């Protein structure tokens, strides 16, 4: 009897120590969560940065608020959602991030409703996020707009204990950043933090390549160039490199952002970059804090 009790006690002690170690490890890492509308938005807007942060040991999670079940011309519903969830998981593996979660809300029908705000609050809290990335609420796609509103609506509430009390509140408000878009009204995107991603660009291409239903089927179909998709799988990544990921030119405003963080010479060497705008909600980081959060921003 004594022996059994001892075994149970040592097991409990061991498990507690193991959990404690896990938490410590968890606490040491800078924790990043990107929340967007569709499985592939995060890859498009910050795939290179996410891969770089993951390489640096950051805890990185992607969350798609909708399941993508409207994003196809021949498929739809639960089967498409299942296919896209699998594609997202594979894209997450290729980026090297910790998790790519797809919530089960319908695609094309997203509204900034309270129960979805609560889902977003829970995601940010359980990830214990230091940095939260979202979309601006002036995007062309209603799902993108409302995904942006949902993240902004959660920005203060994540620290309020009586809101969504089933999940403990954060002790401090994270930094909230917007991922880049091209929309000009009511105000153009501000390139506050610009990260050169040449070294992880191929990982971004690989992640995109995992979203087959989108990059080789739905998106070419909806933009009328399905006939341009190569049949030969070995040529498909070139289609991405020369297409909508590779041909995004660095604008003058974006280049100026690179110059601020990297200095002129290095800034001019980058072919690919991803930009982030600091949201007025949440913690307002100083330049020094930004360099700590994104240590790849080194001036030369
Ligand atoms: Zn989208």
């Amino acid at each position: 009897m004594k022996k059994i009790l001892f075994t149970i006690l040592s097991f409990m002690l061991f498990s507690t120590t193991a959990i404690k170690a896990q938490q410590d490890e968890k606490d040491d890492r800078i924790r990043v969560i990107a929340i967007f509308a569709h499985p592939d938005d995060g890859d498009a807007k910050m795939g290179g940065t996410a891969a770089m942060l993951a390489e640096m040991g950051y805890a990185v999670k992607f969350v798609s608020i909708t399941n993508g079940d409207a994003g196809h011309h021949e498929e739809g519903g639960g089967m498409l959602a299942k296919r896209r969830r699998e594609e997202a998981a594979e894209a997450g593996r290729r980026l090297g991030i910790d998790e790519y979660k797809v919530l089960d809300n319908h695609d094309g029908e997203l509204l900034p409703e309270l129960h979805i705000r609560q889902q977003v609050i829970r995601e940010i809290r359980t990830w214990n996020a230091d940095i939260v990335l979202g979309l601006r609420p002036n995007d062309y796609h209603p799902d993108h707009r409302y995904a942006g509103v949902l993240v902004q609506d959660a920005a203060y509430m994540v620290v309020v204990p009586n809101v969504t009390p089933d999940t403990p509140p954060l002790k401090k408000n994270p930094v909230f950043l917007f991922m880049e878009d091209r929309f000009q009204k009511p105000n153009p995107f501000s390139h506050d933090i610009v990260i050169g991603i040449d070294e992880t660009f191929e990982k971004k291409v690989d992640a995109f390549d995992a979203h087959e239903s989108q990059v080789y089927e739905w998106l070419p179909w909806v933009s009328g160039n399905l006939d341009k998709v190569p049949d030969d799988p070995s040529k498909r990544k070139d289609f991405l490199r020369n297409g909508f990921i590779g041909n995004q030119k660095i604008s003058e405003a974006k280049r100026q952002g690179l110059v601020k963080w990297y200095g002129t010479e290095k800034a001019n060497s980058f072919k690919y970059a991803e930009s982030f705008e600091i949201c007025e909600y949440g913690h307002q980081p100083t330049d020094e804090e930004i360099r700590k959060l994104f240590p790849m921003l080194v001036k030369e």
Side-chain angles (χ1 to χ4, degrees):
M1 183 64 196
K2 256 188 184 171
K3 199 176 170 194
I4 295 171
L5 199 64
F6 177 75
T7 314
I8 293 172
L9 277 173
S10 6
F11 177 74
M12 281 170 68
L13 190 68
F14 172 76
S15 338
T16 322
T17 318
I19 291 166
K20 179 83 178 64
Q22 264 175 13
Q23 281 171 345
D24 285 349
E25 189 194 337
K26 211 171 161 182
D27 289 343
D28 282 352
R29 302 168 75 194
I30 295 180
R31 308 187 63 80
V32 179
I33 189 166
I35 303 172
F36 39 82
H38 308 115
D40 74 352
D41 292 342
D43 320 47
K45 289 175 180 290
M46 59 165 293
T49 303
M52 213 177 279
L53 294 173
E55 280 174 10
M56 284 161 37
Y58 282 39
V60 183
K61 181 173 183 174
F62 275 8
V63 178
S64 172
I65 300 178
T66 82
N67 60 17
D69 63 357
H72 208 277
H73 49 297
E74 289 172 335
E75 302 171 17
M79 290 310 288
L80 177 60
K82 181 174 178 286
R83 185 179 176 200
R84 295 195 65 182
R85 180 169 282 112
E86 287 163 5
E87 289 173 346
E90 178 57 25
R93 273 190 289 277
R94 294 184 188 183
L95 289 173
I97 63 174
D98 293 72
E99 193 179 347
Y100 200 137
K101 187 168 181 177
V102 178
L103 300 178
D104 209 15
N105 301 296
H106 286 302
D107 184 2
E109 299 179 0
L110 186 64
L111 289 171
E113 292 170 322
L114 185 56
H115 73 283
I116 306 181
R117 185 200 296 172
Q118 289 171 331
Q119 293 172 8
V120 170
I121 291 171
R122 288 188 191 104
E123 289 298 332
I124 297 170
R125 285 179 176 174
T126 51
W127 198 245
N128 194 16
D130 299 295
I131 304 170
V132 180
L133 298 113
L135 302 169
R136 287 204 306 165
N138 59 333
D139 197 283
Y140 81 104
H141 195 304
D143 288 351
H144 293 181
R145 280 204 295 280
Y146 298 130
V149 169
L150 284 157
V151 173
Q152 281 183 283
D153 286 353
Y156 170 59
M157 294 306 178
V158 291
V159 297
V160 180
N162 275 329
V163 171
T164 321
D166 60 3
T167 312
L170 291 183
K171 291 190 181 72
K172 57 181 176 46
N173 214 196
V175 171
F176 285 79
L177 303 175
F178 292 120
M179 296 177 264
E180 188 180 353
D181 62 63
R182 61 188 161 81
F183 302 98
Q184 302 292 310
K185 294 174 184 174
N187 55 286
F189 185 86
S190 170
H191 298 270
D192 297 331
I193 303 169
V194 190
I195 297 176
I197 58 146
D198 290 14
E199 61 184 84
T200 48
F201 178 74
E202 281 303 313
K203 282 194 178 178
K204 185 171 180 170
V205 173
D206 284 348
F208 250 90
D209 173 70
H211 295 282
E212 279 186 19
S213 70
Q214 302 303 293
V215 297
Y216 304 129
E217 297 171 25
W218 164 239
L219 295 172
W221 183 86
V222 80
S223 53
N225 61 354
L226 196 55
D227 57 331
K228 305 273 181 344
V229 178
D231 291 329
D232 181 352
S234 68
K235 297 199 175 108
R236 285 186 154 191
K237 284 189 194 170
D238 273 338
F239 174 73
L240 300 178
R241 284 186 199 103
N242 304 326
F244 49 78
I245 330 180
N247 65 10
Q248 290 166 358
K249 287 250 172 326
I250 297 181
S251 68
E252 190 43 42
K254 194 168 184 175
R255 187 74 70 186
Q256 283 314 308
L258 282 170
V259 169
K260 171 180 174 175
W261 294 104
Y262 291 96
T264 312
E265 196 178 330
K266 197 165 172 197
N268 288 334
S269 74
F270 286 117
K271 225 171 134 193
Y272 307 106
E274 290 169 345
S275 274
F276 304 94
E277 176 179 321
I278 299 166
C279 174
E280 289 181 295
Y281 311 153
H283 176 66
Q284 299 297 292
T286 61
D287 282 4
E288 200 185 337
E289 281 176 295
I290 291 168
R291 285 196 191 275
K292 271 192 193 140
L293 290 172
F294 298 98
M296 65 283 261
L297 299 172
V298 179
K299 218 162 193 170
E300 280 182 2

